[in-house]
Amino acid sequence: MTEARPVRRQARGERRIAEILDAALALFAEAGYEGTSTNAIAARAGISPGSLYQYFPNKDAIADALSQRLLDELRAAHAAAFDLTDVAGAPIAGLVSRVVDPLVAFNVAHPGARALLGDAATPAAVTGRSRPLHAAVTDRVTAIVQARAPHLPTPDAERTAFVTVQIVAALMGPIVAASGPDRAALVTELKNALTGYLTPLTE
Amino acid sequence: MTEARPVRRQARGERRIAEILDAALALFAEAGYEGTSTNAIAARAGISPGSLYQYFPNKDAIADALSQRLLDELRAAHAAAFDLTDVAGAPIAGLVSRVVDPLVAFNVAHPGARALLGDAATPAAVTGRSRPLHAAVTDRVTAIVQARAPHLPTPDAERTAFVTVQIVAALMGPIVAASGPDRAALVTELKNALTGYLTPLTE
Amino acid sequence: MTEARPVRRQARGERRIAEILDAALALFAEAGYEGTSTNAIAARAGISPGSLYQYFPNKDAIADALSQRLLDELRAAHAAAFDLTDVAGAPIAGLVSRVVDPLVAFNVAHPGARALLGDAATPAAVTGRSRPLHAAVTDRVTAIVQARAPHLPTPDAERTAFVTVQIVAALMGPIVAASGPDRAALVTELKNALTGYLTPLTE
Amino acid sequence: MTEARPVRRQARGERRIAEILDAALALFAEAGYEGTSTNAIAARAGISPGSLYQYFPNKDAIADALSQRLLDELRAAHAAAFDLTDVAGAPIAGLVSRVVDPLVAFNVAHPGARALLGDAATPAAVTGRSRPLHAAVTDRVTAIVQARAPHLPTPDAERTAFVTVQIVAALMGPIVAASGPDRAALVTELKNALTGYLTPLTE
DNA sequence: CATGAATGAGGCTTCATTCAT
DNA sequence: CATGAATGAAGCCTCATTCAT
C-alpha cells in the first residue's frame, strides 16, 4: 500500500499529462497553435488553468511535449511497419507504399499532429518553435533513400528526403480531411507522385 | 472642383489601399498572420489605425484583399509567361518549367505571399479565411492539365491539379527561403517531382 | 484652429500622464508598489487598462516617470528655497532647517513620494528598480556638505550626505503621518539629530 | 506509547516551525516579503505547501512568527550584551556603542531581519502587518533613555527612542549590505549621529 | 476622410490556499 | 500529520476595433 502510492501518483500525473496533451492536440488541430489558449487547453483537459502549469512551464512546452509524444508514437508506428533491412533492391513503388501507409494511418489516427508537424510552409522563425517531428521524419527518410540509392551523395539524399517529406506533409492535410474514397484517391496520387519523383534517382 | 475631387480621392484611396496591402504583405511575411497586428500594419503603411479601418472592415478583410491582389498579379504574370495554345503535345518537362518558373519568380518577388497562400497545410477552417489564391492557381493548372491530357476525366484532372499545386506550394516556402544555388537545386527537384508525377498521365 | 489642435492634443496627453501619475502616486502611497495593480492605477485615473499602456510601456515605467516627476518638483521646490551661495560659514542648525523644511513641505504635499523614494531600507535589487529620487537628493546634500566643510575628503562628504539622507528619509514617513503638534515635534527632533550629527564635521 | 509520542511530536513540530522560519527569513532577505511565495518557503524548508499550512494559517502568520522569533533572539542577544544597571552616569558615546554593536551583530547574523523589521519607512498600513520587532526595540531604548536621562518626561523619552530606532533602522540596511571597511565606516557614522543626537538630552 | 486616444475582452502566467489521499 | 495536485482569482499586458475631434 505504501508502495502502491507513488505508482498511483505517478500514474495519475502521467495520465494528466496525457490528458493535457490530448486536449492540446485536439485544439491545435481545430484552431492552430496561436488560436489555442492555455485556458482552453486546461478546460478541455478538465482541469484549472493553474493545474496546467503544474505540468508544463508554459504554452510552448506543451507544444514541444506534444511534438515529442507524436514523434515517439510515429517512430514506434513506423518501426513496426517498416524495417530497413530489405530496402536495397526493392521496387520504388513498394517502398513508397511501405513508407506512406503507416504515415497516413498515423495522421488519420492523430488529426492535429499537423499543427505540430508545424506547417512545413511556415518558417520556424515565425512560430518561434522548432519542428522536431519534421526533422525526425526527414532523418528517417534520408536513411531509407541512402539505403535504396547508395550511390547518391549525402547532400543529394538529404535534399531528396526533404522534398519527399514536404510533399508528403503537403498532401497529408487533405488526405486526413478527406472522406473514404477521396482519401484513397489522394493517397494513390501521393504515392504516384513520390514514385515518379524517386524512381529516376535509382536508375 | 467638386467634380475633380472624386477622381483624385479615389486615386488617393487606391494608393492608400495599396500601401496598406504592401505593409500587410511585408509583415505577414515577417511574423505571420496572427503575429501581425493591425496597428503594426497601419504604422508600416504610415497611417493611423483609424484610417486603416476606413478601408477595411477588419483584419481578415485585409488578408482577403491581399490574396486577391496577389492573385491578380499572379494571373497577370502567368498569363504573360504562359499561354495555353501550344500545350497540346508539348513535352511535360517543358510545360512544368513554363508553369513553375513564373511561379517561383512571383513568389521570390513577393515573399509573404505564402502567408496568404495560406499554408497549404493549414485547413481554411483553422485560419478562418478562404484561400482564393490557391483556388485560382488550381483552376489554372486544371486547365493546363486538361489541355495536355484531354482524355483525363475532369475530376481526375482536378485532383491532379490539386496535388500539383500542393506540391508546388509545399516547396515554394523553402525555395523562397533558400539562397542562390540551394534555391536552384530545389527548383530542379520540384520540377523533377512534377515531371515524374505528371508524365504517366499522358501515356 | 489647425494649429491649436496639436497643442490641445499634446496638452491632453500630458494631462493624462499627469492623471496617471497622480493615481499611481496615491495608490503607491496606500499599498506600495507591489500592492498596486496597473488596472487599479488605470481605474483611479479614470481610464481603461489599455489606455494606460498608451502612455507607459509597463508598470515599472510608471514608477520611473513618477520618480522623475517627483524629482523635478523636489528640485524646483528646493532650488526655490535654498541656494548654495551663502553656505560657507553659516551655522549648521540654520542650514539644516533650510534643507529640512522644504523637504518636509514637499513630502507633506506629496504623501506617497516615499513609496518611490524607494524604501531606503529595501535594496534596489529586491524591487528591481533604481531610486533616482534618493540619488538626486543625496547629490544635492553632498554639494551642500562640501560647500560647508570644504576640507572634508569627497568620499567622506558623500558618506555623510548618504547618512544624512537616510536619516531624513527614515523620519519623513512618521513626520508625514503625524498630525500637527506631533509632526512639529518630530521635525524638531530630526533637525536636532542632523545638527548633532553634522556639527562635529565642521570643527 | 501514547504518552511518549506527544513529546516527540511536539519536538518535531517545533523543529519544523524553525525550519519554515529559517526558510522564510532567507527568502525574505533575498526577495522581500511580497517577492517570496509560500510555495517557495515550503520548498526551501523541505516540506510540501500543504504541510506549511499545518503550522501557519497564512503567509502573514509566518512573517509575524518570524518577527517574534527575531525579537526573542534580539532580546536575548541584547540582554546578554547590555544591562541597565550602570547606565546612570555613563558617557553617551559608550552607551551608544553598547546598544549599536549588538544590534549590528544581530542584523549581520540575520540578514533579512530587515524585511520583517518592516521597512521603517513603510507604514504598517501598507504591509498590513504590524512591526513587533520595531516596537520591542523602541521599548528597550526608551528604558535606556529614561535610565540615562531621568528628568526627561516620558513622552519625550519615547519620542527620542523612536527617533533613535528609526535612525538605526535606516542605516542598518546599508550597514548589512556593505563589506568590511565600508561597513565599519557606516557603523561609526551611525554612532556619531546617535551620539550627536542624544548628548544634548543629558545636559 | 484622418487621427490617435480609448476601449475592454482576453491571453499567459503566478500564487495563496484547500483538499483528497 | 504529510503530501502535492488542484483551484481560481488576479496580475500584467496586447490588440482588434471604435469614437471624438
Side-chain angles (χ1 to χ4, degrees):
Chain A
M1 199 177 173
T2 351
E3 287 167 8
R5 240 190 231 156
V7 175
R8 208 178 304 158
R9 285 251 167 103
Q10 204 166 301
R12 193 156 60 123
E14 295 199 354
R15 206 181 323 135
R16 272 275 186 270
I17 288 181
E19 286 164 1
I20 292 169
L21 294 183
D22 289 343
L25 182 53
L27 289 168
F28 287 168
E30 288 170 22
Y33 177 77
E34 314 248 19
T36 299
S37 78
T38 55
N39 282 1
I41 296 173
R44 176 97 105 187
I47 61 178
S48 66
S51 285
L52 189 59
Y53 285 83
Q54 202 122 35
Y55 297 98
F56 297 97
N58 53 47
K59 193 181 172 183
D60 269 19
I62 298 173
D64 290 345
L66 191 46
S67 285
Q68 189 57 50
R69 189 181 80 171
L70 289 170
L71 174 56
D72 291 343
E73 291 178 16
L74 197 167
R75 235 198 286 267
H78 218 262
F82 194 112
D83 72 304
L84 283 167
T85 57
D86 56 350
V87 170
I92 294 291
L95 273 184
V96 163
S97 272
R98 282 165 61 202
V99 169
V100 166
D101 287 334
L103 274 174
V104 168
F106 175 78
N107 275 278
V108 166
H110 299 280
R114 270 188 33 266
L116 273 300
L117 214 152
D119 297 311
T122 307
V126 165
T127 65
R129 293 173 299 110
S130 57
R131 294 184 284 117
L133 259 184
H134 224 267
V137 173
T138 302
D139 285 351
R140 175 85 173 165
V141 173
T142 301
I144 298 174
V145 167
Q146 288 192 304
R148 185 51 238 264
H151 57 82
L152 212 58
T154 297
D156 290 18
E158 282 172 344
R159 182 167 43 243
T160 299
F162 175 78
V163 170
T164 301
V165 171
Q166 290 292 114
I167 292 174
V168 171
L171 286 171
M172 201 52 81
I175 285 172
V176 170
S179 40
D182 285 347
R183 178 183 296 165
L186 283 172
V187 170
T188 300
E189 295 298 299
L190 170 57
K191 291 180 181 174
N192 289 346
L194 293 179
T195 304
Y197 171 52
L198 298 169
T199 297
L201 297 177
T202 61
E203 287 163 0
Chain B
M1 198 178 172
T2 359
E3 287 165 6
R5 250 189 221 155
V7 176
R8 209 177 309 154
R9 285 238 171 117
Q10 209 165 296
R12 203 168 51 146
E14 295 199 354
R15 205 181 326 133
R16 278 267 193 274
I17 287 181
E19 287 163 1
I20 292 170
L21 295 182
D22 288 344
L25 183 53
L27 290 168
F28 287 166
E30 288 169 22
Y33 177 76
E34 313 250 17
T36 299
S37 78
T38 54
N39 281 356
I41 296 173
R44 176 96 90 168
I47 62 176
S48 67
S51 286
L52 191 158
Y53 280 84
Q54 209 105 33
Y55 295 101
F56 297 98
N58 54 45
K59 193 180 174 184
D60 271 17
I62 298 173
D64 290 345
L66 189 47
S67 284
Q68 189 58 49
R69 190 183 79 172
L70 289 169
L71 172 56
D72 292 343
E73 290 178 16
L74 196 169
R75 232 200 288 268
H78 217 261
F82 192 113
D83 73 301
L84 283 167
T85 59
D86 58 350
V87 170
I92 293 292
L95 271 184
V96 163
S97 272
R98 283 165 60 201
V99 169
V100 165
D101 287 334
L103 274 174
V104 169
F106 176 78
N107 275 278
V108 167
H110 299 278
R114 267 188 35 262
L116 275 300
L117 213 153
D119 300 311
T122 307
V126 164
T127 63
R129 294 172 295 110
S130 57
R131 295 185 281 119
L133 256 185
H134 225 267
V137 174
T138 303
D139 285 352
R140 174 87 172 165
V141 173
T142 302
I144 298 175
V145 168
Q146 289 193 305
R148 182 57 236 262
H151 57 82
L152 211 60
T154 297
D156 288 18
E158 283 172 343
R159 182 165 44 241
T160 300
F162 176 78
V163 170
T164 301
V165 172
Q166 290 292 116
I167 291 174
V168 171
L171 287 171
M172 201 53 79
I175 285 172
V176 170
S179 45
D182 286 346
R183 178 183 295 166
L186 282 173
V187 170
T188 300
E189 294 298 300
L190 171 57
K191 290 180 182 175
N192 288 346
L194 293 180
T195 303
Y197 171 52
L198 296 170
T199 297
L201 297 177
T202 61
E203 285 161 0
Chain C
M1 198 174 171
T2 352
E3 287 165 8
R5 240 189 230 156
V7 174
R8 210 178 303 155
R9 284 250 167 103
Q10 203 166 301
R12 191 154 64 121
E14 295 199 354
R15 207 181 320 136
R16 272 274 186 272
I17 289 181
E19 287 164 1
I20 292 170
L21 295 182
D22 289 343
L25 182 53
L27 290 168
F28 287 168
E30 287 169 24
Y33 178 78
E34 314 247 18
T36 299
S37 79
T38 56
N39 281 1
I41 295 174
R44 176 97 105 184
I47 60 177
S48 67
S51 285
L52 189 58
Y53 285 85
Q54 201 122 37
Y55 297 97
F56 297 97
N58 55 45
K59 192 181 174 183
D60 269 20
I62 298 174
D64 290 345
L66 191 45
S67 287
Q68 190 57 51
R69 190 182 80 170
L70 289 170
L71 173 56
D72 291 343
E73 291 178 15
L74 197 168
R75 234 200 284 269
H78 218 261
F82 193 111
D83 72 303
L84 283 167
T85 58
D86 57 350
V87 169
I92 293 292
L95 273 184
V96 163
S97 272
R98 282 166 61 202
V99 169
V100 167
D101 288 334
L103 274 174
V104 168
F106 176 77
N107 276 276
V108 166
H110 299 280
R114 270 187 32 265
L116 274 299
L117 213 152
D119 298 311
T122 307
V126 165
T127 64
R129 293 172 300 111
S130 58
R131 295 185 282 117
L133 258 185
H134 226 268
V137 173
T138 303
D139 285 352
R140 174 88 173 165
V141 173
T142 301
I144 297 174
V145 168
Q146 289 194 303
R148 185 52 239 264
H151 57 82
L152 211 62
T154 297
D156 289 20
E158 282 173 343
R159 181 165 45 241
T160 300
F162 175 77
V163 170
T164 302
V165 171
Q166 289 291 114
I167 291 173
V168 171
L171 286 170
M172 201 53 81
I175 284 172
V176 170
S179 40
D182 286 346
R183 178 183 296 166
L186 283 172
V187 170
T188 299
E189 295 297 300
L190 171 56
K191 291 179 182 176
N192 289 346
L194 293 180
T195 304
Y197 170 52
L198 297 170
T199 297
L201 296 178
T202 61
E203 289 162 358
Chain D
M1 197 178 170
T2 359
E3 285 166 10
R5 253 191 219 153
V7 176
R8 209 179 308 156
R9 284 239 171 119
Q10 208 165 296
R12 200 169 52 144
E14 295 200 354
R15 205 183 323 133
R16 276 267 192 276
I17 287 180
E19 286 163 1
I20 292 170
L21 295 183
D22 288 343
L25 182 53
L27 290 169
F28 287 167
E30 287 170 22
Y33 177 77
E34 313 250 19
T36 299
S37 79
T38 55
N39 282 357
I41 295 173
R44 176 96 87 162
I47 63 176
S48 66
S51 287
L52 191 157
Y53 281 83
Q54 209 105 35
Y55 295 99
F56 296 98
N58 54 44
K59 193 180 173 183
D60 271 17
I62 299 173
D64 290 345
L66 188 48
S67 285
Q68 188 58 48
R69 190 182 79 172
L70 288 170
L71 172 56
D72 291 342
E73 290 178 16
L74 196 168
R75 234 200 286 268
H78 218 260
F82 192 113
D83 72 302
L84 282 168
T85 58
D86 58 350
V87 169
I92 294 292
L95 273 184
V96 163
S97 272
R98 283 165 60 203
V99 170
V100 166
D101 288 333
L103 275 173
V104 169
F106 176 77
N107 275 277
V108 167
H110 299 279
R114 266 188 37 264
L116 273 301
L117 213 153
D119 299 310
T122 307
V126 164
T127 64
R129 295 172 295 110
S130 57
R131 294 184 282 119
L133 256 184
H134 225 266
V137 173
T138 302
D139 284 352
R140 174 86 171 166
V141 172
T142 301
I144 299 174
V145 167
Q146 288 192 305
R148 183 54 237 263
H151 57 82
L152 212 61
T154 298
D156 289 17
E158 282 173 343
R159 183 166 43 242
T160 299
F162 175 79
V163 170
T164 302
V165 172
Q166 289 292 116
I167 291 174
V168 172
L171 287 171
M172 201 53 80
I175 285 172
V176 171
S179 42
D182 286 345
R183 179 183 293 166
L186 282 173
V187 170
T188 300
E189 295 297 299
L190 170 57
K191 290 179 181 175
N192 289 346
L194 293 179
T195 304
Y197 171 53
L198 297 169
T199 297
L201 296 177
T202 61
E203 287 163 358

